[in-house]
Amino acid sequence: MTISRQLVEDISWCWWTQPRATRIGDVLYLGGISSDGSVFAATHDLVTGANTRSVLAQLEPDDHNNPAVLVMPGKRPLAFYSRHDADDALRWRIADAPDDIRSWGPERSLRFGGITTYAQAHAVGDEVHLLTRVGDTAWGYARLADWGETWSDPSLFIALETDQETYMPTALLPDGRTLRVAIAGHPKNYEQQPWHRIGALVVDLVTGAVRRPSDDRPIANVRTGDGLPIRGEQLEHVCDAGEGRTINLFDVGRGEVFEIGFVSKVERDESTEDARYHVASLRGGAWCVEDVVAAGRPFGYIHAGFYVGGIAFSESAGGAAYVSREDGGRWSLERWERAADGTWTALQVLPASATRIVRPWPVRNPTPELEVVALALERYDDAYMETLSHLVGGAAAE
């Protein structure tokens, strides 16, 4: 069954911020930014269709400024957000009442010593583990001990040897403690030290131990700070872009197998040639890269094309990923599933249309009718300012 109705008007988000869409009972909790720069938390009632929106801050109308909204049953929601390329403050607010996004306490901030962009928040019991990009090339870490007041000192988690932005999707596994991490550099080629490859780590958020996915020996510890920041040569090497190509990293899976979703294309910044989605999987102690499907022609970097589309893994199953892609001027949202022989086949979520359906994100605690949401893009420019899009969602048609 596909949900064809629009869920929320005027909501945008950029990649590498989470959580974005979490279901508790009949309520879907969301974080987004509107076209006028209102950073907000929202709810959508899955039964009545009613929406509630609460503005957290008024910032530049840049879709990078969308918030991570963390909700857990019986706890007060938390929201985290930054000003893209503006200052070193990771802003956060805590709601006044459990399960309620209508009223919030004052804005507070954590300082990471470099410009912050994006926020990723993972709950482990009463702790919240927070990650944010710092100064373009590094990612920082801080830990909230008691769901509201006491933070560890912010520190650098990873610092890569590059002169351009880095992107780091993460996924907390169903065991509630193991965090998968993948990281790569920006797809652009006009800087001097590109990092067109993917590295991976695993973090035990209870003990703090950081290791390579295929090696049990710890190399650092996020709780004690030992061995931080991790450098590029310490990461487990997953794959390179390949000769004459560049990559953009999107997501990490939560299934039994460590999976990483990304796109590659011809390396010229203005090129949209041969864009393809891939999944890298750790099997038998080695990484293999599988070709999933063509992404379509809008995947250049110049003209912001590399920020459109996307691949995101299912919350409920390994070997399944949601893909936004273009074909012949029409956009579709599909669920691609991996067969035992390594081939990928598609199930339709939303039918192909002239409307760009982009940046899919799986619903935490999905229902049979709503397993993924995405943005129906109405306006998007080269500077990713004043993006106008609307939330749609659905489930794969069996």
Side-chain angles (χ1 to χ4, degrees), residues 45-119:
D45 190 303
L46 296 172
V47 176
T48 68
N51 291 332
T52 300
R53 185 181 301 226
S54 177
V55 175
L56 299 163
Q58 194 71 34
L59 301 179
E60 298 83 1
D62 180 339
D63 59 19
H64 292 71
N65 295 340
N66 73 282
V69 175
L70 181 62
V71 291
M72 297 290 287
K75 295 184 181 295
R76 292 187 292 165
L78 288 158
F80 305 92
Y81 48 96
S82 295
R83 294 177 62 202
H84 179 215
D85 290 344
D87 58 33
D88 71 344
L90 192 287
R91 294 154 173 82
W92 67 283
R93 297 179 70 177
I94 185 166
D96 292 330
D99 308 320
D100 191 342
I101 57 93
R102 292 174 297 178
S103 177
W104 295 80
E107 180 181 277
R108 290 175 278 186
S109 63
L110 295 168
R111 300 282 176 173
F112 282 84
I115 292 171
T116 64
T117 306
Y118 313 122

Side-chain angles (χ1 to χ4, degrees), residues 163-180:
D163 56 3
Q164 57 193 35
E165 296 88 341
T166 58
Y167 301 100
M168 192 182 80
T170 58
L172 183 63
L173 298 193
D175 65 8
R177 64 185 292 170
T178 303
L179 187 72
R180 286 179 180 158

